[in-house]
Amino acid sequence: MKCPKCGEENDSGAEKCKQCGWSLKSRLVVDEQICATHPWRMAVSTCRACGLELCEECEVFIGNVSYCRECAERPGEEELLRDVPVVDPAQAEPAGFWLRSLAGAVDLIILGCSFSVLWTAFWLLFADPAVPLRLGDHPWAHVLFWVIVAVTIPVYYIYSIATNSQTPGMSAFDIAVVRSRGEAADYRTAVLRYMAVFPAMVSVFGIFWCIWDKKGRMLHDRLTKTSVVRM
C-alpha cells in the first residue's frame, strides 16, 4: 500500500505509514482516531517522536516525517550532544604553546598549498602568473582571486572548529577546542574565536599569554571562555 502523503510503500494491512505516520485507513474506519489537541477533529497521523494523534493542523513535517509542534521544536540529537562535556576541564591537560604553534603551522601549510593550486589555476587560465598580484589586463580576475582567499580562510577555521572542535592541524596533534565546561565547540564559539584571534595577534602579547596561564589559554581563549586541550 502506497502512502498518499509521502509515497512510501507499506504492508497491505498497515494502518499508518511507517515513514511519515500518515493514516492509511479509510476515513470511515478511523472515527476512533481523534486529535490529541483537538478532540473534535479526526486524526490523520501520529507524531513519530511521542506517538500523539495529530490532525492536519497539528502535524509538522520534517523530512517527510510527522511530528507534533512540541517535538518539532525540540533540538535534534546532534545539537543536544554538543552540550555534553567531552572532557573534564579540571583534569584536561592544556595543549601548550609549542604544540599549538605546530598545529597552526600545519594549518598554514594546508592553506598555502591550496592557494598555490588556486594561483596555478589562474596562471594557466589567463597565461599570466602575475594575475593575483596586480590588476593588469584582468582586474576582475585579480579581485576574484583575493575574494576567494578572503572567504576560504574564515570558512576553513570556523567550519573545522564548529563541526569537529579542531582544525586539521589540531587533529594531527590530537588537540581540540573545548568550551568552559568541557563541551565541544559550536558555530557560535567558532565565530567568536575567529574574531578574537585578531586582537590577540595584533597585541602579540595575547599569543604568548598561554605560557604563564595555568590553563594554557591565549587571549582569544580567555575572551571566548574556551581552552585548547590534549585529547
Side-chain angles (χ1 to χ4, degrees):
M1 182 183 297
K2 194 170 186 178
C3 175
K5 192 78 170 180
C6 67
E8 179 73 13
E9 288 292 342
N10 296 272
D11 296 335
S12 57
E15 296 182 355
K16 298 174 184 178
C17 176
K18 62 184 179 182
Q19 172 66 24
C20 68
W22 186 265
S23 175
L24 301 176
K25 285 186 177 182
S26 165
R27 287 184 178 270
L28 297 176
V29 181
V30 294
D31 289 339
E32 73 278 5
Q33 286 185 310
I34 58 174
C35 175
T37 306
H38 307 102
W40 60 90
R41 292 178 180 167
M42 184 174 63
V44 294
S45 64
T46 58
C47 175
R48 171 60 67 85
C50 66
L52 283 180
E53 301 286 347
L54 307 172
C55 65
E56 290 186 1
E57 183 179 335
C58 292
E59 69 176 341
V60 177
F61 276 93
I62 301 178
N64 287 329
V65 178
S66 293
Y67 292 94
C68 66
R69 296 189 184 280
E70 183 179 349
C71 292
E73 293 173 358
R74 290 175 184 168
E77 182 178 354
E78 184 176 344
E79 186 177 348
L80 290 172
L81 286 174
R82 281 279 163 185
D83 293 326
V84 177
V86 293
V87 298
D88 182 354
Q91 299 181 356
E93 182 182 356
F97 176 77
W98 294 111
L99 199 57
R100 295 181 65 171
S101 298
L102 289 172
V106 171
D107 288 323
L108 290 177
I109 291 172
I110 292 173
L111 287 171
C113 291
S114 301
F115 295 145
S116 296
V117 173
L118 180 64
W119 188 316
T120 303
F122 272 69
W123 180 354
L124 296 175
L125 187 61
F126 299 100
D128 183 0
V131 165
L133 298 178
R134 55 183 175 81
L135 293 175
D137 297 329
H138 307 284
W140 64 269
H142 171 83
V143 173
L144 178 61
F145 178 88
W146 290 108
V147 166
I148 294 174
V149 170
V151 171
T152 300
I153 294 174
V155 168
Y156 175 88
Y157 285 104
I158 292 174
Y159 179 78
S160 299
I161 296 295
T163 55
N164 300 315
S165 288
Q166 54 186 189
T167 63
M170 290 180 175
S171 179
F173 295 95
D174 203 25
I175 61 177
V177 177
V178 295
R179 288 179 278 169
S180 58
R181 293 183 296 178
E183 314 98 314
D186 54 12
Y187 272 101
R188 179 179 178 276
T189 302
V191 171
L192 291 176
R193 274 181 61 84
Y194 183 79
M195 295 171 63
V197 164
F198 293 100
M201 293 181 64
V202 170
S203 65
V204 180
F205 172 76
I207 298 296
F208 293 98
W209 196 318
C210 69
I211 295 177
W212 56 82
D213 185 275
K214 292 182 179 179
K215 296 183 179 180
R217 295 171 299 177
M218 297 182 181
L219 177 60
H220 58 287
D221 297 321
R222 294 178 64 90
L223 291 175
T224 56
K225 297 181 180 180
T226 58
S227 303
V228 180
V229 299
R230 295 175 181 268
M231 296 301 291

PDB file of all heavy atoms in Angstrom, residues 5-28:
ATOM      1  N   LYS A   5       0.678  10.446   1.243  1.00  0.00           N
ATOM      2  CA  LYS A   5       1.346  11.653   1.740  1.00  0.00           C
ATOM      3  C   LYS A   5       2.802  11.736   1.282  1.00  0.00           C
ATOM      4  O   LYS A   5       3.247  12.735   0.736  1.00  0.00           O
ATOM      5  CB  LYS A   5       1.286  11.675   3.263  1.00  0.00           C
ATOM      6  CG  LYS A   5       1.689  12.999   3.889  1.00  0.00           C
ATOM      7  CD  LYS A   5       0.581  14.008   3.798  1.00  0.00           C
ATOM      8  CE  LYS A   5       0.884  15.238   4.634  1.00  0.00           C
ATOM      9  NZ  LYS A   5      -0.186  16.229   4.566  1.00  0.00           N
ATOM     10  N   CYS A   6       3.561  10.655   1.512  1.00  0.00           N
ATOM     11  CA  CYS A   6       4.990  10.695   1.195  1.00  0.00           C
ATOM     12  C   CYS A   6       5.394   9.709   0.107  1.00  0.00           C
ATOM     13  O   CYS A   6       6.534   9.733  -0.358  1.00  0.00           O
ATOM     14  CB  CYS A   6       5.820  10.429   2.452  1.00  0.00           C
ATOM     15  SG  CYS A   6       5.654   8.750   3.106  1.00  0.00           S
ATOM     16  N   GLY A   7       4.474   8.798  -0.275  1.00  0.00           N
ATOM     17  CA  GLY A   7       4.785   7.857  -1.344  1.00  0.00           C
ATOM     18  C   GLY A   7       5.493   6.599  -0.894  1.00  0.00           C
ATOM     19  O   GLY A   7       5.882   5.775  -1.726  1.00  0.00           O
ATOM     20  N   GLU A   8       5.694   6.423   0.419  1.00  0.00           N
ATOM     21  CA  GLU A   8       6.391   5.250   0.934  1.00  0.00           C
ATOM     22  C   GLU A   8       5.526   3.990   0.758  1.00  0.00           C
ATOM     23  O   GLU A   8       4.316   4.005   0.960  1.00  0.00           O
ATOM     24  CB  GLU A   8       6.700   5.444   2.425  1.00  0.00           C
ATOM     25  CG  GLU A   8       7.402   4.288   3.081  1.00  0.00           C
ATOM     26  CD  GLU A   8       8.856   4.150   2.676  1.00  0.00           C
ATOM     27  OE1 GLU A   8       9.399   5.103   2.069  1.00  0.00           O
ATOM     28  OE2 GLU A   8       9.438   3.087   2.953  1.00  0.00           O
ATOM     29  N   GLU A   9       6.136   2.877   0.358  1.00  0.00           N
ATOM     30  CA  GLU A   9       5.434   1.614   0.226  1.00  0.00           C
ATOM     31  C   GLU A   9       5.294   0.965   1.600  1.00  0.00           C
ATOM     32  O   GLU A   9       6.261   0.833   2.342  1.00  0.00           O
ATOM     33  CB  GLU A   9       6.192   0.684  -0.712  1.00  0.00           C
ATOM     34  CG  GLU A   9       6.141   1.084  -2.176  1.00  0.00           C
ATOM     35  CD  GLU A   9       4.739   0.931  -2.770  1.00  0.00           C
ATOM     36  OE1 GLU A   9       3.919   0.216  -2.164  1.00  0.00           O
ATOM     37  OE2 GLU A   9       4.479   1.517  -3.832  1.00  0.00           O
ATOM     38  N   ASN A  10       4.072   0.547   1.959  1.00  0.00           N
ATOM     39  CA  ASN A  10       3.801  -0.078   3.247  1.00  0.00           C
ATOM     40  C   ASN A  10       3.149  -1.442   3.028  1.00  0.00           C
ATOM     41  O   ASN A  10       2.692  -1.762   1.923  1.00  0.00           O
ATOM     42  CB  ASN A  10       2.868   0.798   4.078  1.00  0.00           C
ATOM     43  CG  ASN A  10       3.500   2.136   4.448  1.00  0.00           C
ATOM     44  OD1 ASN A  10       4.174   2.246   5.454  1.00  0.00           O
ATOM     45  ND2 ASN A  10       3.285   3.157   3.619  1.00  0.00           N
ATOM     46  N   ASP A  11       3.095  -2.242   4.089  1.00  0.00           N
ATOM     47  CA  ASP A  11       2.406  -3.534   4.021  1.00  0.00           C
ATOM     48  C   ASP A  11       0.926  -3.315   3.735  1.00  0.00           C
ATOM     49  O   ASP A  11       0.351  -2.280   4.114  1.00  0.00           O
ATOM     50  CB  ASP A  11       2.567  -4.290   5.336  1.00  0.00           C
ATOM     51  CG  ASP A  11       4.027  -4.649   5.606  1.00  0.00           C
ATOM     52  OD1 ASP A  11       4.784  -4.739   4.619  1.00  0.00           O
ATOM     53  OD2 ASP A  11       4.395  -4.816   6.780  1.00  0.00           O
ATOM     54  N   SER A  12       0.287  -4.278   3.112  1.00  0.00           N
ATOM     55  CA  SER A  12      -1.106  -4.116   2.697  1.00  0.00           C
ATOM     56  C   SER A  12      -2.046  -3.886   3.878  1.00  0.00           C
ATOM     57  O   SER A  12      -3.049  -3.194   3.768  1.00  0.00           O
ATOM     58  CB  SER A  12      -1.562  -5.349   1.910  1.00  0.00           C
ATOM     59  OG  SER A  12      -1.395  -6.533   2.696  1.00  0.00           O
ATOM     60  N   GLY A  13      -1.731  -4.455   5.038  1.00  0.00           N
ATOM     61  CA  GLY A  13      -2.613  -4.290   6.185  1.00  0.00           C
ATOM     62  C   GLY A  13      -2.210  -3.175   7.125  1.00  0.00           C
ATOM     63  O   GLY A  13      -2.775  -3.030   8.213  1.00  0.00           O
ATOM     64  N   ALA A  14      -1.211  -2.360   6.733  1.00  0.00           N
ATOM     65  CA  ALA A  14      -0.728  -1.293   7.615  1.00  0.00           C
ATOM     66  C   ALA A  14      -1.799  -0.239   7.837  1.00  0.00           C
ATOM     67  O   ALA A  14      -2.540   0.114   6.927  1.00  0.00           O
ATOM     68  CB  ALA A  14       0.521  -0.659   7.014  1.00  0.00           C
ATOM     69  N   GLU A  15      -1.864   0.259   9.074  1.00  0.00           N
ATOM     70  CA  GLU A  15      -2.823   1.309   9.401  1.00  0.00           C
ATOM     71  C   GLU A  15      -2.220   2.685   9.249  1.00  0.00           C
ATOM     72  O   GLU A  15      -2.926   3.648   8.952  1.00  0.00           O
ATOM     73  CB  GLU A  15      -3.324   1.125  10.834  1.00  0.00           C
ATOM     74  CG  GLU A  15      -4.108  -0.164  11.053  1.00  0.00           C
ATOM     75  CD  GLU A  15      -4.620  -0.274  12.468  1.00  0.00           C
ATOM     76  OE1 GLU A  15      -4.271   0.618  13.289  1.00  0.00           O
ATOM     77  OE2 GLU A  15      -5.373  -1.215  12.764  1.00  0.00           O
ATOM     78  N   LYS A  16      -0.899   2.774   9.463  1.00  0.00           N
ATOM     79  CA  LYS A  16      -0.208   4.065   9.360  1.00  0.00           C
ATOM     80  C   LYS A  16       1.082   3.878   8.579  1.00  0.00           C
ATOM     81  O   LYS A  16       1.692   2.812   8.604  1.00  0.00           O
ATOM     82  CB  LYS A  16       0.093   4.627  10.748  1.00  0.00           C
ATOM     83  CG  LYS A  16      -1.150   4.915  11.574  1.00  0.00           C
ATOM     84  CD  LYS A  16      -0.784   5.334  12.977  1.00  0.00           C
ATOM     85  CE  LYS A  16      -2.028   5.517  13.831  1.00  0.00           C
ATOM     86  NZ  LYS A  16      -1.711   5.875  15.226  1.00  0.00           N
ATOM     87  N   CYS A  17       1.484   4.927   7.893  1.00  0.00           N
ATOM     88  CA  CYS A  17       2.712   4.879   7.093  1.00  0.00           C
ATOM     89  C   CYS A  17       3.912   4.746   8.009  1.00  0.00           C
ATOM     90  O   CYS A  17       4.049   5.495   8.983  1.00  0.00           O
ATOM     91  CB  CYS A  17       2.822   6.130   6.228  1.00  0.00           C
ATOM     92  SG  CYS A  17       4.357   6.229   5.291  1.00  0.00           S
ATOM     93  N   LYS A  18       4.807   3.825   7.716  1.00  0.00           N
ATOM     94  CA  LYS A  18       5.997   3.623   8.539  1.00  0.00           C
ATOM     95  C   LYS A  18       7.002   4.755   8.392  1.00  0.00           C
ATOM     96  O   LYS A  18       7.881   4.933   9.227  1.00  0.00           O
ATOM     97  CB  LYS A  18       6.658   2.293   8.178  1.00  0.00           C
ATOM     98  CG  LYS A  18       7.139   2.214   6.725  1.00  0.00           C
ATOM     99  CD  LYS A  18       7.696   0.847   6.413  1.00  0.00           C
ATOM    100  CE  LYS A  18       8.154   0.755   4.957  1.00  0.00           C
ATOM    101  NZ  LYS A  18       8.658  -0.586   4.611  1.00  0.00           N
ATOM    102  N   GLN A  19       6.875   5.549   7.329  1.00  0.00           N
ATOM    103  CA  GLN A  19       7.797   6.641   7.090  1.00  0.00           C
ATOM    104  C   GLN A  19       7.331   7.942   7.741  1.00  0.00           C
ATOM    105  O   GLN A  19       8.070   8.593   8.474  1.00  0.00           O
ATOM    106  CB  GLN A  19       7.985   6.851   5.583  1.00  0.00           C
ATOM    107  CG  GLN A  19       8.788   8.104   5.198  1.00  0.00           C
ATOM    108  CD  GLN A  19      10.233   8.008   5.643  1.00  0.00           C
ATOM    109  OE1 GLN A  19      10.754   6.922   5.832  1.00  0.00           O
ATOM    110  NE2 GLN A  19      10.893   9.150   5.830  1.00  0.00           N
ATOM    111  N   CYS A  20       6.093   8.346   7.462  1.00  0.00           N
ATOM    112  CA  CYS A  20       5.621   9.656   7.925  1.00  0.00           C
ATOM    113  C   CYS A  20       4.529   9.590   8.976  1.00  0.00           C
ATOM    114  O   CYS A  20       4.158  10.612   9.555  1.00  0.00           O
ATOM    115  CB  CYS A  20       5.141  10.503   6.745  1.00  0.00           C
ATOM    116  SG  CYS A  20       3.630   9.879   5.958  1.00  0.00           S
ATOM    117  N   GLY A  21       3.966   8.402   9.240  1.00  0.00           N
ATOM    118  CA  GLY A  21       2.934   8.287  10.251  1.00  0.00           C
ATOM    119  C   GLY A  21       1.534   8.610   9.767  1.00  0.00           C
ATOM    120  O   GLY A  21       0.575   8.608  10.535  1.00  0.00           O
ATOM    121  N   TRP A  22       1.364   8.881   8.488  1.00  0.00           N
ATOM    122  CA  TRP A  22       0.062   9.239   7.922  1.00  0.00           C
ATOM    123  C   TRP A  22      -0.895   8.035   7.999  1.00  0.00           C
ATOM    124  O   TRP A  22      -0.508   6.901   7.742  1.00  0.00           O
ATOM    125  CB  TRP A  22       0.234   9.671   6.474  1.00  0.00           C
ATOM    126  CG  TRP A  22      -1.020  10.210   5.822  1.00  0.00           C
ATOM    127  CD1 TRP A  22      -1.896   9.517   5.063  1.00  0.00           C
ATOM    128  CD2 TRP A  22      -1.496  11.549   5.865  1.00  0.00           C
ATOM    129  NE1 TRP A  22      -2.896  10.329   4.635  1.00  0.00           N
ATOM    130  CE2 TRP A  22      -2.683  11.595   5.108  1.00  0.00           C
ATOM    131  CE3 TRP A  22      -1.044  12.720   6.470  1.00  0.00           C
ATOM    132  CZ2 TRP A  22      -3.423  12.758   4.938  1.00  0.00           C
ATOM    133  CZ3 TRP A  22      -1.776  13.894   6.298  1.00  0.00           C
ATOM    134  CH2 TRP A  22      -2.946  13.891   5.544  1.00  0.00           C
ATOM    135  N   SER A  23      -2.143   8.307   8.350  1.00  0.00           N
ATOM    136  CA  SER A  23      -3.126   7.230   8.468  1.00  0.00           C
ATOM    137  C   SER A  23      -3.444   6.653   7.096  1.00  0.00           C
ATOM    138  O   SER A  23      -3.731   7.383   6.149  1.00  0.00           O
ATOM    139  CB  SER A  23      -4.398   7.757   9.134  1.00  0.00           C
ATOM    140  OG  SER A  23      -5.386   6.758   9.140  1.00  0.00           O
ATOM    141  N   LEU A  24      -3.362   5.327   6.990  1.00  0.00           N
ATOM    142  CA  LEU A  24      -3.668   4.647   5.735  1.00  0.00           C
ATOM    143  C   LEU A  24      -5.074   4.064   5.738  1.00  0.00           C
ATOM    144  O   LEU A  24      -5.499   3.473   4.757  1.00  0.00           O
ATOM    145  CB  LEU A  24      -2.644   3.528   5.481  1.00  0.00           C
ATOM    146  CG  LEU A  24      -1.180   3.980   5.396  1.00  0.00           C
ATOM    147  CD1 LEU A  24      -0.277   2.775   5.231  1.00  0.00           C
ATOM    148  CD2 LEU A  24      -0.977   4.962   4.257  1.00  0.00           C
ATOM    149  N   LYS A  25      -5.808   4.234   6.869  1.00  0.00           N
ATOM    150  CA  LYS A  25      -7.174   3.735   6.942  1.00  0.00           C
ATOM    151  C   LYS A  25      -8.128   4.639   6.177  1.00  0.00           C
ATOM    152  O   LYS A  25      -7.855   5.821   5.962  1.00  0.00           O
ATOM    153  CB  LYS A  25      -7.630   3.679   8.402  1.00  0.00           C
ATOM    154  CG  LYS A  25      -7.047   2.552   9.222  1.00  0.00           C
ATOM    155  CD  LYS A  25      -7.697   2.557  10.584  1.00  0.00           C
ATOM    156  CE  LYS A  25      -7.214   1.396  11.439  1.00  0.00           C
ATOM    157  NZ  LYS A  25      -7.897   1.391  12.748  1.00  0.00           N
ATOM    158  N   SER A  26      -9.251   4.082   5.812  1.00  0.00           N
ATOM    159  CA  SER A  26     -10.315   4.886   5.216  1.00  0.00           C
ATOM    160  C   SER A  26     -10.842   5.836   6.274  1.00  0.00           C
ATOM    161  O   SER A  26     -10.879   5.521   7.464  1.00  0.00           O
ATOM    162  CB  SER A  26     -11.452   3.987   4.727  1.00  0.00           C
ATOM    163  OG  SER A  26     -12.606   4.754   4.461  1.00  0.00           O
ATOM    164  N   ARG A  27     -11.262   7.022   5.902  1.00  0.00           N
ATOM    165  CA  ARG A  27     -11.790   7.987   6.858  1.00  0.00           C
ATOM    166  C   ARG A  27     -13.050   7.461   7.540  1.00  0.00           C
ATOM    167  O   ARG A  27     -13.409   7.909   8.620  1.00  0.00           O
ATOM    168  CB  ARG A  27     -12.087   9.318   6.161  1.00  0.00           C
ATOM    169  CG  ARG A  27     -10.822  10.088   5.806  1.00  0.00           C
ATOM    170  CD  ARG A  27     -11.151  11.441   5.205  1.00  0.00           C
ATOM    171  NE  ARG A  27      -9.946  12.189   4.910  1.00  0.00           N
ATOM    172  CZ  ARG A  27      -9.340  13.008   5.755  1.00  0.00           C
ATOM    173  NH1 ARG A  27      -9.837  13.176   6.954  1.00  0.00           N
ATOM    174  NH2 ARG A  27      -8.253  13.667   5.409  1.00  0.00           N
ATOM    175  N   LEU A  28     -13.735   6.504   6.933  1.00  0.00           N
ATOM    176  CA  LEU A  28     -14.946   5.941   7.533  1.00  0.00           C
ATOM    177  C   LEU A  28     -14.596   4.970   8.641  1.00  0.00           C
ATOM    178  O   LEU A  28     -15.400   4.665   9.498  1.00  0.00           O
ATOM    179  CB  LEU A  28     -15.794   5.227   6.470  1.00  0.00           C
ATOM    180  CG  LEU A  28     -16.345   6.115   5.356  1.00  0.00           C
ATOM    181  CD1 LEU A  28     -17.073   5.265   4.329  1.00  0.00           C
ATOM    182  CD2 LEU A  28     -17.291   7.184   5.925  1.00  0.00           C
TER     183      LEU A  28
END
